[in-house]
Amino acid sequence: MSNTKNELPFSTSNYTTMLIGIAVILAGFLIMTFDSTEFGFGFLGLTLGPLVTITGFIIEFWAILRKPRNS
């Protein structure tokens, strides 16, 4: 028998941060759909929505790369 630990690769704070990142990404896409100009070429579709979406992806990368506090 081997003495390997069956631990999860991330802590609960990592998973919580990942869920927040997913929510921010979805909010960015939702903001882009609220643009009422033709083909979504207004402020919401070209500026605010993509910035919120990129912020969500940055949160995701940070949640994956961050080490748990107890290790």
Side-chain angles (χ1 to χ4, degrees), residues 4-54:
T4 60
K5 293 182 181 180
N6 291 330
E7 294 181 5
L8 294 174
F10 301 115
S11 68
T12 56
S13 64
N14 290 82
Y15 287 117
T16 305
T17 310
M18 285 182 204
L19 288 175
I20 291 170
I22 290 172
V24 171
I25 292 170
L26 291 176
F29 282 115
L30 189 65
I31 288 170
M32 284 188 262
T33 62
F34 288 145
D35 198 1
S36 62
T37 59
E38 188 175 7
F39 301 116
F41 287 146
F43 174 74
L44 294 177
L46 286 178
T47 305
L48 186 62
L51 284 176
V52 172
T53 305
I54 289 171

